Short mmCIF file of all heavy atoms in Angstrom, two decimals:
data_model
loop_
_atom_site.label_atom_id
_atom_site.label_comp_id
_atom_site.label_asym_id
_atom_site.label_seq_id
_atom_site.Cartn_x
_atom_site.Cartn_y
_atom_site.Cartn_z
N THR B 20 39.13 -175.03 192.95
CA THR B 20 38.56 -173.72 193.23
C THR B 20 37.31 -173.51 192.39
O THR B 20 37.35 -173.69 191.17
CB THR B 20 39.57 -172.61 192.94
OG1 THR B 20 40.72 -172.78 193.76
CG2 THR B 20 38.95 -171.24 193.21
N LEU B 21 36.23 -173.17 193.07
CA LEU B 21 35.01 -172.76 192.37
C LEU B 21 35.08 -171.25 192.21
O LEU B 21 35.30 -170.51 193.18
CB LEU B 21 33.77 -173.13 193.19
CG LEU B 21 33.62 -174.58 193.62
CD1 LEU B 21 32.27 -174.79 194.28
CD2 LEU B 21 33.80 -175.53 192.46
N GLN B 22 34.87 -170.81 190.97
CA GLN B 22 35.00 -169.39 190.68
C GLN B 22 33.64 -168.69 190.75
O GLN B 22 32.61 -169.26 190.39
CB GLN B 22 35.59 -169.18 189.28
CG GLN B 22 36.96 -169.80 189.08
CD GLN B 22 38.05 -169.11 189.88
OE1 GLN B 22 37.87 -168.00 190.37
NE2 GLN B 22 39.20 -169.78 190.01
N CYS B 23 33.67 -167.45 191.23
CA CYS B 23 32.47 -166.63 191.27
C CYS B 23 32.88 -165.19 190.96
O CYS B 23 33.80 -164.66 191.59
CB CYS B 23 31.81 -166.69 192.64
SG CYS B 23 30.37 -165.59 192.79
N ALA B 24 32.19 -164.60 190.01
CA ALA B 24 32.48 -163.22 189.63
C ALA B 24 31.17 -162.48 189.40
O ALA B 24 30.22 -163.05 188.88
CB ALA B 24 33.33 -163.17 188.37
N GLN B 25 31.16 -161.22 189.84
CA GLN B 25 29.98 -160.37 189.58
C GLN B 25 30.45 -159.03 189.04
O GLN B 25 31.50 -158.52 189.43
CB GLN B 25 29.12 -160.22 190.85
CG GLN B 25 29.85 -159.76 192.09
CD GLN B 25 29.90 -158.28 192.31
OE1 GLN B 25 29.23 -157.49 191.59
NE2 GLN B 25 30.67 -157.85 193.30
N ASP B 26 29.63 -158.47 188.15
CA ASP B 26 30.00 -157.22 187.49
C ASP B 26 29.04 -156.10 187.87
O ASP B 26 28.85 -155.14 187.11
CB ASP B 26 30.03 -157.42 185.97
CG ASP B 26 28.69 -157.85 185.39
OD1 ASP B 26 27.73 -158.06 186.18
OD2 ASP B 26 28.60 -157.98 184.17
N MET B 27 28.44 -156.20 189.06
CA MET B 27 27.45 -155.21 189.48
C MET B 27 27.98 -154.30 190.58
O MET B 27 27.22 -153.53 191.17
CB MET B 27 26.19 -155.96 189.96
CG MET B 27 25.56 -156.81 188.86
SD MET B 27 24.22 -157.87 189.43
CE MET B 27 25.15 -159.18 190.26
N ASN B 28 29.27 -154.44 190.90
CA ASN B 28 29.89 -153.63 191.95
C ASN B 28 29.22 -153.85 193.31
O ASN B 28 29.09 -152.92 194.11
CB ASN B 28 29.89 -152.14 191.58
CG ASN B 28 30.94 -151.37 192.36
OD1 ASN B 28 32.00 -151.90 192.68
ND2 ASN B 28 30.65 -150.13 192.66
N HIS B 29 28.81 -155.09 193.56
CA HIS B 29 28.16 -155.42 194.82
C HIS B 29 29.20 -155.62 195.92
O HIS B 29 30.23 -156.24 195.70
CB HIS B 29 27.33 -156.69 194.66
CG HIS B 29 26.06 -156.49 193.91
ND1 HIS B 29 25.20 -157.54 193.62
CD2 HIS B 29 25.48 -155.38 193.40
CE1 HIS B 29 24.16 -157.07 192.97
NE2 HIS B 29 24.31 -155.75 192.81
N GLU B 30 28.86 -155.11 197.11
CA GLU B 30 29.77 -155.25 198.24
C GLU B 30 29.68 -156.63 198.89
O GLU B 30 30.66 -157.19 199.32
CB GLU B 30 29.47 -154.17 199.28
CG GLU B 30 29.87 -152.76 198.84
CD GLU B 30 31.36 -152.64 198.59
OE1 GLU B 30 32.15 -153.23 199.38
OE2 GLU B 30 31.76 -152.01 197.61
N TYR B 31 28.45 -157.14 199.01
CA TYR B 31 28.24 -158.37 199.74
C TYR B 31 28.27 -159.56 198.78
O TYR B 31 27.59 -159.56 197.75
CB TYR B 31 26.87 -158.35 200.43
CG TYR B 31 26.76 -157.40 201.59
CD1 TYR B 31 26.57 -156.05 201.37
CD2 TYR B 31 26.83 -157.86 202.90
CE1 TYR B 31 26.48 -155.16 202.43
CE2 TYR B 31 26.72 -156.99 203.96
CZ TYR B 31 26.55 -155.65 203.73
OH TYR B 31 26.45 -154.79 204.78
N MET B 32 29.04 -160.59 199.16
CA MET B 32 29.05 -161.84 198.40
C MET B 32 29.07 -163.00 199.38
O MET B 32 29.60 -162.91 200.48
CB MET B 32 30.26 -161.91 197.47
CG MET B 32 30.27 -160.83 196.40
SD MET B 32 31.58 -161.02 195.18
CE MET B 32 30.94 -162.40 194.20
N SER B 33 28.45 -164.10 198.95
CA SER B 33 28.32 -165.27 199.83
C SER B 33 28.41 -166.54 199.01
O SER B 33 28.11 -166.55 197.81
CB SER B 33 26.95 -165.26 200.54
OG SER B 33 26.79 -164.14 201.37
N TRP B 34 28.80 -167.61 199.69
CA TRP B 34 28.76 -168.95 199.14
C TRP B 34 27.82 -169.81 199.98
O TRP B 34 27.92 -169.82 201.22
CB TRP B 34 30.14 -169.60 199.15
CG TRP B 34 30.99 -169.24 197.98
CD1 TRP B 34 32.02 -168.34 197.95
CD2 TRP B 34 30.90 -169.79 196.67
NE1 TRP B 34 32.57 -168.31 196.69
CE2 TRP B 34 31.91 -169.18 195.89
CE3 TRP B 34 30.07 -170.76 196.07
CZ2 TRP B 34 32.11 -169.49 194.54
CZ3 TRP B 34 30.28 -171.06 194.73
CH2 TRP B 34 31.28 -170.44 193.99
N TYR B 35 26.94 -170.53 199.29
CA TYR B 35 26.02 -171.45 199.93
C TYR B 35 26.16 -172.83 199.30
O TYR B 35 26.52 -172.95 198.13
CB TYR B 35 24.56 -171.00 199.74
CG TYR B 35 24.19 -169.77 200.52
CD1 TYR B 35 24.41 -168.50 199.99
CD2 TYR B 35 23.63 -169.86 201.78
CE1 TYR B 35 24.08 -167.37 200.70
CE2 TYR B 35 23.29 -168.73 202.50
CZ TYR B 35 23.53 -167.49 201.95
OH TYR B 35 23.20 -166.37 202.66
N ARG B 36 25.85 -173.83 200.08
CA ARG B 36 25.69 -175.17 199.52
C ARG B 36 24.25 -175.61 199.73
O ARG B 36 23.63 -175.26 200.75
CB ARG B 36 26.66 -176.17 200.13
CG ARG B 36 26.58 -176.40 201.61
CD ARG B 36 27.57 -177.48 202.08
NE ARG B 36 27.16 -178.82 201.63
CZ ARG B 36 27.89 -179.92 201.79
NH1 ARG B 36 29.08 -179.84 202.38
NH2 ARG B 36 27.45 -181.08 201.38
N GLN B 37 23.74 -176.35 198.76
CA GLN B 37 22.36 -176.83 198.84
C GLN B 37 22.35 -178.34 198.77
O GLN B 37 22.82 -178.92 197.78
CB GLN B 37 21.50 -176.24 197.72
CG GLN B 37 20.04 -176.64 197.85
CD GLN B 37 19.16 -175.97 196.82
OE1 GLN B 37 19.58 -175.64 195.72
NE2 GLN B 37 17.90 -175.75 197.18
N ASP B 38 21.81 -178.93 199.80
CA ASP B 38 21.67 -180.38 199.87
C ASP B 38 20.20 -180.72 200.01
O ASP B 38 19.43 -179.96 200.62
CB ASP B 38 22.46 -180.92 201.06
CG ASP B 38 23.93 -180.56 200.97
OD1 ASP B 38 24.59 -181.05 200.04
OD2 ASP B 38 24.41 -179.77 201.81
N PRO B 39 19.77 -181.86 199.47
CA PRO B 39 18.34 -182.22 199.51
C PRO B 39 17.79 -182.18 200.93
O PRO B 39 18.37 -182.74 201.86
CB PRO B 39 18.33 -183.64 198.95
CG PRO B 39 19.54 -183.71 198.08
CD PRO B 39 20.58 -182.85 198.76
N GLY B 40 16.64 -181.51 201.08
CA GLY B 40 15.96 -181.48 202.37
C GLY B 40 16.59 -180.56 203.41
O GLY B 40 16.10 -180.49 204.54
N MET B 41 17.66 -179.84 203.04
CA MET B 41 18.35 -179.02 204.05
C MET B 41 18.39 -177.54 203.67
O MET B 41 19.08 -176.76 204.31
CB MET B 41 19.76 -179.53 204.28
CG MET B 41 19.80 -180.96 204.76
SD MET B 41 21.43 -181.51 205.25
CE MET B 41 21.62 -180.61 206.78
N GLY B 42 17.69 -177.15 202.65
CA GLY B 42 17.72 -175.75 202.26
C GLY B 42 19.11 -175.35 201.82
O GLY B 42 19.90 -176.17 201.34
N LEU B 43 19.43 -174.09 202.00
CA LEU B 43 20.76 -173.58 201.67
C LEU B 43 21.49 -173.25 202.96
O LEU B 43 20.93 -172.64 203.87
CB LEU B 43 20.66 -172.32 200.80
CG LEU B 43 20.37 -172.54 199.34
CD1 LEU B 43 18.89 -172.72 199.10
CD2 LEU B 43 20.91 -171.37 198.51
N ARG B 44 22.76 -173.63 203.02
CA ARG B 44 23.57 -173.36 204.21
C ARG B 44 24.76 -172.49 203.82
O ARG B 44 25.45 -172.76 202.84
CB ARG B 44 24.02 -174.67 204.86
CG ARG B 44 22.87 -175.48 205.46
CD ARG B 44 23.37 -176.74 206.12
NE ARG B 44 23.89 -177.69 205.16
CZ ARG B 44 24.58 -178.78 205.48
NH1 ARG B 44 24.86 -179.03 206.77
NH2 ARG B 44 25.01 -179.60 204.55
N LEU B 45 24.99 -171.48 204.63
CA LEU B 45 26.04 -170.51 204.35
C LEU B 45 27.40 -171.09 204.68
O LEU B 45 27.64 -171.59 205.78
CB LEU B 45 25.78 -169.25 205.18
CG LEU B 45 26.77 -168.10 205.03
CD1 LEU B 45 26.73 -167.54 203.61
CD2 LEU B 45 26.43 -167.01 206.04
N ILE B 46 28.33 -170.98 203.72
CA ILE B 46 29.68 -171.49 203.91
C ILE B 46 30.60 -170.37 204.38
O ILE B 46 31.21 -170.43 205.45
CB ILE B 46 30.23 -172.12 202.62
CG1 ILE B 46 29.28 -173.19 202.08
CG2 ILE B 46 31.62 -172.72 202.86
CD1 ILE B 46 29.66 -173.70 200.70
N HIS B 47 30.75 -169.35 203.55
CA HIS B 47 31.53 -168.17 203.87
C HIS B 47 30.85 -166.96 203.24
O HIS B 47 30.10 -167.11 202.27
CB HIS B 47 32.95 -168.26 203.30
CG HIS B 47 33.86 -169.19 204.03
ND1 HIS B 47 34.45 -168.88 205.24
CD2 HIS B 47 34.32 -170.43 203.69
CE1 HIS B 47 35.21 -169.88 205.63
NE2 HIS B 47 35.15 -170.83 204.71
N TYR B 48 31.13 -165.79 203.77
CA TYR B 48 30.58 -164.59 203.18
C TYR B 48 31.59 -163.45 203.30
O TYR B 48 32.57 -163.54 204.04
CB TYR B 48 29.24 -164.21 203.83
CG TYR B 48 29.33 -163.80 205.27
CD1 TYR B 48 29.30 -162.46 205.64
CD2 TYR B 48 29.43 -164.76 206.28
CE1 TYR B 48 29.38 -162.08 206.97
CE2 TYR B 48 29.50 -164.39 207.60
CZ TYR B 48 29.46 -163.06 207.95
OH TYR B 48 29.55 -162.68 209.26
N SER B 49 31.31 -162.38 202.55
CA SER B 49 32.20 -161.22 202.52
C SER B 49 31.37 -159.96 202.44
O SER B 49 30.39 -159.89 201.69
CB SER B 49 33.14 -161.32 201.30
OG SER B 49 33.85 -160.11 201.14
N VAL B 50 31.77 -158.95 203.21
CA VAL B 50 31.05 -157.67 203.18
C VAL B 50 31.83 -156.61 202.42
O VAL B 50 31.46 -155.43 202.42
CB VAL B 50 30.71 -157.18 204.60
CG1 VAL B 50 29.81 -158.19 205.30
CG2 VAL B 50 31.95 -156.93 205.41
N GLY B 51 32.92 -157.02 201.77
CA GLY B 51 33.69 -156.10 200.95
C GLY B 51 35.06 -156.70 200.68
O GLY B 51 35.46 -157.69 201.30
N ALA B 52 35.78 -156.08 199.76
CA ALA B 52 37.12 -156.57 199.41
C ALA B 52 38.00 -156.60 200.65
O ALA B 52 38.04 -155.64 201.42
CB ALA B 52 37.74 -155.69 198.33
N GLY B 53 38.66 -157.74 200.86
CA GLY B 53 39.56 -157.91 201.99
C GLY B 53 38.90 -158.36 203.27
O GLY B 53 39.57 -158.60 204.27
N ILE B 54 37.56 -158.50 203.26
CA ILE B 54 36.82 -158.86 204.48
C ILE B 54 36.01 -160.11 204.24
O ILE B 54 35.12 -160.12 203.39
CB ILE B 54 35.88 -157.73 204.92
CG1 ILE B 54 36.61 -156.41 205.04
CG2 ILE B 54 35.19 -158.09 206.24
CD1 ILE B 54 35.69 -155.22 205.21
N THR B 55 36.33 -161.17 204.96
CA THR B 55 35.55 -162.41 204.85
C THR B 55 35.28 -162.95 206.25
O THR B 55 35.97 -162.60 207.21
CB THR B 55 36.29 -163.49 204.03
OG1 THR B 55 37.49 -163.87 204.72
CG2 THR B 55 36.63 -163.00 202.65
N ASP B 56 34.27 -163.81 206.34
CA ASP B 56 33.95 -164.43 207.61
C ASP B 56 33.28 -165.76 207.35
O ASP B 56 32.80 -166.04 206.24
CB ASP B 56 33.05 -163.53 208.45
CG ASP B 56 33.15 -163.85 209.94
OD1 ASP B 56 33.78 -164.88 210.31
OD2 ASP B 56 32.58 -163.08 210.74
N GLN B 57 33.26 -166.58 208.40
CA GLN B 57 32.70 -167.92 208.27
C GLN B 57 31.19 -167.90 208.43
O GLN B 57 30.63 -167.11 209.17
CB GLN B 57 33.30 -168.83 209.35
CG GLN B 57 34.78 -169.04 209.20
CD GLN B 57 35.33 -169.96 210.29
OE1 GLN B 57 34.62 -170.30 211.23
NE2 GLN B 57 36.57 -170.36 210.16
N GLY B 58 30.58 -168.85 207.74
CA GLY B 58 29.15 -169.06 207.90
C GLY B 58 28.89 -170.28 208.76
O GLY B 58 29.64 -170.59 209.68
N GLU B 59 27.83 -170.98 208.42
CA GLU B 59 27.38 -172.11 209.23
C GLU B 59 28.23 -173.36 209.04
O GLU B 59 28.44 -174.13 209.97
CB GLU B 59 25.92 -172.41 208.85
CG GLU B 59 25.27 -173.55 209.61
CD GLU B 59 23.86 -173.83 209.07
OE1 GLU B 59 23.37 -173.07 208.21
OE2 GLU B 59 23.26 -174.83 209.51
N VAL B 60 28.73 -173.59 207.81
CA VAL B 60 29.44 -174.83 207.49
C VAL B 60 30.76 -174.54 206.79
O VAL B 60 30.97 -174.91 205.63
CB VAL B 60 28.55 -175.78 206.64
CG1 VAL B 60 27.45 -176.37 207.47
CG2 VAL B 60 27.99 -175.04 205.42
N PRO B 61 31.74 -173.91 207.45
CA PRO B 61 32.96 -173.48 206.78
C PRO B 61 34.06 -174.53 206.67
O PRO B 61 35.01 -174.35 205.89
CB PRO B 61 33.44 -172.35 207.70
CG PRO B 61 32.98 -172.78 209.06
CD PRO B 61 31.66 -173.46 208.85
N ASN B 62 33.94 -175.62 207.43
CA ASN B 62 35.06 -176.57 207.49
C ASN B 62 35.30 -177.21 206.14
O ASN B 62 34.39 -177.72 205.49
CB ASN B 62 34.78 -177.65 208.54
CG ASN B 62 34.80 -177.08 209.94
OD1 ASN B 62 35.35 -176.00 210.18
ND2 ASN B 62 34.20 -177.78 210.88
N GLY B 63 36.58 -177.21 205.72
CA GLY B 63 36.96 -177.81 204.45
C GLY B 63 36.98 -176.83 203.29
O GLY B 63 37.30 -177.22 202.17
N TYR B 64 36.62 -175.58 203.58
CA TYR B 64 36.55 -174.56 202.54
C TYR B 64 37.34 -173.31 202.95
O TYR B 64 37.33 -172.93 204.11
CB TYR B 64 35.11 -174.11 202.30
CG TYR B 64 34.12 -175.22 202.02
CD1 TYR B 64 33.36 -175.76 203.06
CD2 TYR B 64 33.93 -175.71 200.74
CE1 TYR B 64 32.44 -176.76 202.82
CE2 TYR B 64 33.00 -176.71 200.49
CZ TYR B 64 32.26 -177.23 201.54
OH TYR B 64 31.34 -178.22 201.31
N ASN B 65 37.97 -172.68 201.96
CA ASN B 65 38.62 -171.40 202.17
C ASN B 65 38.11 -170.39 201.15
O ASN B 65 37.76 -170.75 200.02
CB ASN B 65 40.14 -171.52 201.99
CG ASN B 65 40.83 -171.88 203.28
OD1 ASN B 65 40.21 -171.98 204.33
ND2 ASN B 65 42.13 -172.09 203.19
N VAL B 66 38.13 -169.12 201.54
CA VAL B 66 37.77 -168.06 200.61
C VAL B 66 38.75 -166.91 200.76
O VAL B 66 39.46 -166.80 201.77
CB VAL B 66 36.34 -167.52 200.83
CG1 VAL B 66 35.29 -168.55 200.49
CG2 VAL B 66 36.17 -167.02 202.26
#
Side-chain angles (χ1 to χ4, degrees):
Chain B
T20 299
L21 306 186
Q22 301 291 344
C23 176
Q25 52 91 9
D26 60 357
M27 299 172 284
N28 201 33
H29 285 177
E30 289 298 320
Y31 290 79
M32 297 187 75
S33 298
W34 276 103
Y35 290 87
R36 60 177 289 174
Q37 184 175 29
D38 302 295
M41 300 188 73
L43 281 83
R44 293 182 292 169
L45 180 64
I46 306 171
H47 286 284
Y48 66 101
S49 170
V50 299
I54 307 169
T55 64
D56 203 351
Q57 296 180 351
E59 181 185 354
V60 288
N62 292 341
Y64 307 95
N65 271 356
V66 292

